[in-house]
Amino acid sequence: MLFRSSIRCTRYVLPYPFPPQLTPTNSPQLNTTYLDQYLIHNPFLAPHPATLWPVLESLVDRGLVRSIGVSNYNSSQLAQLVAIPGMRISPAVNQIRYHAYNTLAQAPVVKLARKHGVLTAAYSALTPLTTETGGPVDDVLRGIVEGEEWTAAQVLLDWVKGQGLAVVTCVLPCPFRTRWRLILVLGL
Protein backbone atom coordinates (compact mmCIF):
# COMPACT_ATOMS: atom_id res chain seq x y z
CA MET A 1 0.00 0.00 0.00
CA LEU A 2 1.23 3.50 -0.82
CA PHE A 3 0.88 6.15 1.83
CA ARG A 4 0.57 9.84 0.96
CA SER A 5 3.87 10.51 2.71
CA SER A 6 5.66 8.07 0.39
CA ILE A 7 4.74 9.83 -2.86
CA ARG A 8 5.22 13.31 -4.22
CA CYS A 9 2.35 14.62 -6.22
CA THR A 10 3.40 16.89 -9.09
CA ARG A 11 1.36 18.82 -11.60
CA TYR A 12 2.81 20.51 -14.66
CA VAL A 13 1.80 23.99 -15.72
CA LEU A 14 0.88 23.82 -19.37
CA PRO A 15 0.63 26.97 -21.47
CA TYR A 16 -3.11 27.23 -21.85
CA PRO A 17 -5.23 28.38 -20.21
CA PHE A 18 -3.23 31.16 -18.62
CA PRO A 19 -3.35 31.79 -15.81
CA PRO A 20 -3.49 28.05 -15.16
CA GLN A 21 -6.29 26.46 -13.20
CA LEU A 22 -5.04 26.92 -9.66
CA THR A 23 -7.11 24.37 -7.82
CA PRO A 24 -5.10 21.20 -7.20
CA THR A 25 -8.00 19.61 -5.34
CA ASN A 26 -10.21 19.58 -8.41
CA SER A 27 -9.13 16.05 -9.35
CA PRO A 28 -11.06 13.26 -7.65
CA GLN A 29 -8.32 10.79 -8.62
CA LEU A 30 -5.81 12.53 -6.36
CA ASN A 31 -7.97 13.13 -3.29
CA THR A 32 -5.47 15.56 -1.80
CA THR A 33 -5.71 19.12 -0.55
CA TYR A 34 -2.29 20.16 -1.83
CA LEU A 35 0.36 19.38 -4.39
CA ASP A 36 3.96 18.74 -3.45
CA GLN A 37 5.24 20.40 -6.61
CA TYR A 38 3.89 22.56 -9.39
CA LEU A 39 6.34 22.76 -12.29
CA ILE A 40 6.49 24.89 -15.41
CA HIS A 41 6.60 21.97 -17.81
CA ASN A 42 8.31 23.42 -20.84
CA PRO A 43 10.03 26.79 -21.20
CA PHE A 44 9.15 27.03 -24.88
CA LEU A 45 5.41 26.70 -24.34
CA ALA A 46 4.90 28.59 -21.08
CA PRO A 47 4.49 32.34 -20.69
CA HIS A 48 7.64 34.23 -19.76
CA PRO A 49 8.78 33.11 -16.30
CA ALA A 50 8.60 36.66 -14.94
CA THR A 51 4.88 36.61 -15.72
CA LEU A 52 4.18 33.10 -14.47
CA TRP A 53 6.43 32.87 -11.42
CA PRO A 54 4.44 35.29 -9.17
CA VAL A 55 1.32 33.23 -9.91
CA LEU A 56 3.11 30.09 -8.75
CA GLU A 57 4.44 31.88 -5.66
CA SER A 58 0.85 32.78 -4.75
CA LEU A 59 -0.06 29.08 -4.77
CA VAL A 60 2.65 28.42 -2.19
CA ASP A 61 1.41 31.39 -0.14
CA ARG A 62 -2.13 29.96 -0.17
CA GLY A 63 -0.95 26.49 0.90
CA LEU A 64 -2.11 24.80 -2.30
CA VAL A 65 1.42 23.88 -3.35
CA ARG A 66 4.46 23.05 -1.23
CA SER A 67 7.14 23.82 -3.79
CA ILE A 68 7.46 25.25 -7.29
CA GLY A 69 9.97 24.57 -9.98
CA VAL A 70 10.59 23.89 -13.63
CA SER A 71 11.05 21.04 -16.03
CA ASN A 72 13.21 20.80 -19.14
CA TYR A 73 15.07 24.08 -18.55
CA ASN A 74 18.55 24.34 -20.01
CA SER A 75 21.29 26.44 -18.39
CA SER A 76 20.42 29.73 -20.13
CA GLN A 77 16.71 29.33 -19.35
CA LEU A 78 17.45 28.49 -15.72
CA ALA A 79 19.80 31.48 -15.47
CA GLN A 80 17.03 33.73 -16.80
CA LEU A 81 14.59 32.28 -14.28
CA VAL A 82 16.77 32.71 -11.18
CA ALA A 83 17.52 36.31 -12.24
CA ILE A 84 13.87 37.41 -12.06
CA PRO A 85 13.79 40.61 -9.99
CA GLY A 86 11.73 40.33 -6.83
CA MET A 87 11.56 36.53 -6.84
CA ARG A 88 10.47 35.53 -3.33
CA ILE A 89 10.51 31.75 -3.73
CA SER A 90 13.37 30.15 -5.58
CA PRO A 91 12.70 27.17 -7.83
CA ALA A 92 13.02 24.01 -5.79
CA VAL A 93 13.70 21.70 -8.71
CA ASN A 94 14.56 21.49 -12.39
CA GLN A 95 13.35 18.15 -13.72
CA ILE A 96 15.45 17.17 -16.76
CA ARG A 97 16.06 14.19 -18.99
CA TYR A 98 19.27 12.74 -17.59
CA HIS A 99 20.90 9.39 -18.24
CA ALA A 100 24.25 7.79 -18.94
CA TYR A 101 24.27 8.94 -22.57
CA ASN A 102 23.54 12.66 -22.04
CA THR A 103 25.51 13.40 -18.86
CA LEU A 104 28.04 15.68 -20.56
CA ALA A 105 25.36 17.60 -22.45
CA GLN A 106 23.42 18.20 -19.22
CA ALA A 107 26.47 19.12 -17.12
CA PRO A 108 26.09 22.93 -17.53
CA VAL A 109 22.49 22.99 -16.28
CA VAL A 110 23.27 20.63 -13.40
CA LYS A 111 26.21 22.85 -12.36
CA LEU A 112 24.11 26.04 -12.55
CA ALA A 113 21.30 24.42 -10.58
CA ARG A 114 23.72 23.46 -7.81
CA LYS A 115 25.12 26.98 -7.72
CA HIS A 116 21.62 28.37 -7.10
CA GLY A 117 20.41 25.64 -4.74
CA VAL A 118 18.00 24.13 -7.27
CA LEU A 119 17.67 20.36 -7.01
CA THR A 120 18.07 18.55 -10.33
CA ALA A 121 15.64 15.68 -10.71
CA ALA A 122 16.41 13.15 -13.43
CA TYR A 123 13.74 11.53 -15.53
CA SER A 124 14.47 8.86 -18.16
CA ALA A 125 17.38 7.56 -16.12
CA LEU A 126 16.68 4.09 -17.49
CA THR A 127 17.06 5.15 -21.12
CA PRO A 128 20.03 2.79 -21.70
CA LEU A 129 17.70 -0.11 -20.81
CA THR A 130 14.59 1.09 -22.61
CA THR A 131 14.97 3.23 -25.71
CA GLU A 132 18.72 3.38 -26.38
CA THR A 133 19.80 -0.22 -25.89
CA GLY A 134 22.84 -1.71 -27.53
CA GLY A 135 25.20 1.08 -26.52
CA PRO A 136 28.45 1.02 -24.57
CA VAL A 137 26.65 1.13 -21.21
CA ASP A 138 25.22 -2.36 -21.83
CA ASP A 139 28.56 -4.12 -21.32
CA VAL A 140 29.38 -2.04 -18.25
CA LEU A 141 26.03 -2.88 -16.68
CA ARG A 142 26.40 -6.58 -17.46
CA GLY A 143 29.81 -6.56 -15.79
CA ILE A 144 28.47 -4.85 -12.68
CA VAL A 145 25.39 -7.02 -12.16
CA GLU A 146 26.93 -10.37 -13.12
CA GLY A 147 26.93 -12.56 -10.04
CA GLU A 148 25.32 -9.85 -7.91
CA GLU A 149 21.80 -9.43 -6.59
CA TRP A 150 21.36 -6.06 -8.28
CA THR A 151 19.49 -5.36 -11.48
CA ALA A 152 20.76 -3.10 -14.22
CA ALA A 153 17.92 -0.69 -13.41
CA GLN A 154 19.02 -0.49 -9.76
CA VAL A 155 22.59 0.23 -10.85
CA LEU A 156 21.49 3.04 -13.19
CA LEU A 157 19.22 4.63 -10.58
CA ASP A 158 21.95 4.42 -7.96
CA TRP A 159 24.44 5.95 -10.40
CA VAL A 160 22.15 8.94 -10.96
CA LYS A 161 21.68 9.36 -7.20
CA GLY A 162 25.46 9.17 -6.85
CA GLN A 163 25.69 12.18 -9.17
CA GLY A 164 23.75 14.13 -6.53
CA LEU A 165 20.50 14.14 -8.47
CA ALA A 166 17.06 12.96 -7.45
CA VAL A 167 15.51 10.22 -9.56
CA VAL A 168 11.95 10.60 -10.79
CA THR A 169 9.88 7.64 -11.87
CA CYS A 170 6.16 6.98 -12.13
CA VAL A 171 4.73 4.60 -9.58
CA LEU A 172 1.34 4.35 -11.24
CA PRO A 173 0.41 4.28 -14.90
CA CYS A 174 0.67 7.92 -15.81
CA PRO A 175 -0.21 8.68 -19.40
CA PHE A 176 0.96 12.18 -20.27
CA ARG A 177 -2.49 13.24 -21.43
CA THR A 178 -3.78 13.18 -17.86
CA ARG A 179 -1.52 16.17 -17.00
CA TRP A 180 -1.19 14.66 -13.52
CA ARG A 181 1.60 12.42 -12.38
CA LEU A 182 2.20 10.58 -9.17
CA ILE A 183 5.92 10.17 -8.88
CA LEU A 184 8.32 8.53 -6.54
CA VAL A 185 11.39 10.65 -5.92
CA LEU A 186 14.36 8.62 -4.83
CA GLY A 187 17.31 10.06 -3.03
CA LEU A 188 15.77 13.08 -1.34
Side-chain angles (χ1 to χ4, degrees):
M1 177 190 323
L2 280 177
F3 295 97
R4 178 65 176 94
S5 61
S6 65
I7 60 171
R8 292 183 57 85
C9 198
T10 298
R11 185 164 189 196
Y12 298 92
V13 176
L14 297 176
Y16 301 102
F18 184 79
Q21 297 300 313
L22 305 180
T23 54
T25 57
N26 64 0
S27 175
Q29 299 94 339
L30 291 179
N31 192 26
T32 185
T33 58
Y34 66 92
L35 292 175
D36 294 294
Q37 294 182 99
Y38 208 15
L39 305 181
I40 299 174
H41 184 258
N42 187 317
F44 300 109
L45 300 176
H48 190 278
T51 305
L52 185 53
W53 204 256
V55 176
L56 297 179
E57 288 177 325
S58 74
L59 293 176
V60 175
D61 294 341
R62 293 170 32 209
L64 297 173
V65 175
R66 293 203 172 160
S67 68
I68 51 180
V70 294
S71 180
N72 301 307
Y73 273 49
N74 63 32
S75 55
S76 63
Q77 294 157 340
L78 187 59
Q80 181 184 20
L81 175 68
V82 297
I84 293 174
M87 177 184 279
R88 295 182 300 108
I89 302 172
S90 297
V93 67
N94 182 20
Q95 201 176 91
I96 61 170
R97 188 168 196 253
Y98 186 93
H99 52 78
Y101 294 134
N102 75 348
T103 304
L104 293 177
Q106 294 289 33
V109 71
V110 171
K111 182 178 179 180
L112 182 68
R114 283 191 181 124
K115 176 182 174 184
H116 290 282
V118 178
L119 174 69
T120 299
Y123 69 84
S124 295
L126 301 179
T127 292
L129 299 177
T130 57
T131 58
E132 294 184 30
T133 58
V137 170
D138 289 9
D139 290 337
V140 173
L141 287 173
R142 269 193 293 279
I144 293 171
V145 301
E146 189 174 322
E148 301 293 338
E149 295 181 15
W150 310 316
T151 66
Q154 289 171 318
V155 170
L156 286 173
L157 295 177
D158 195 52
W159 173 80
V160 171
K161 289 173 18 184
Q163 305 293 309
L165 281 63
V167 177
V168 178
T169 184
C170 289
V171 295
L172 298 173
C174 30
F176 183 76
R177 292 181 184 266
T178 65
R179 293 173 41 177
W180 288 94
R181 297 217 177 171
L182 296 177
I183 59 173
L184 175 63
V185 179
L186 306 170
L188 290 180

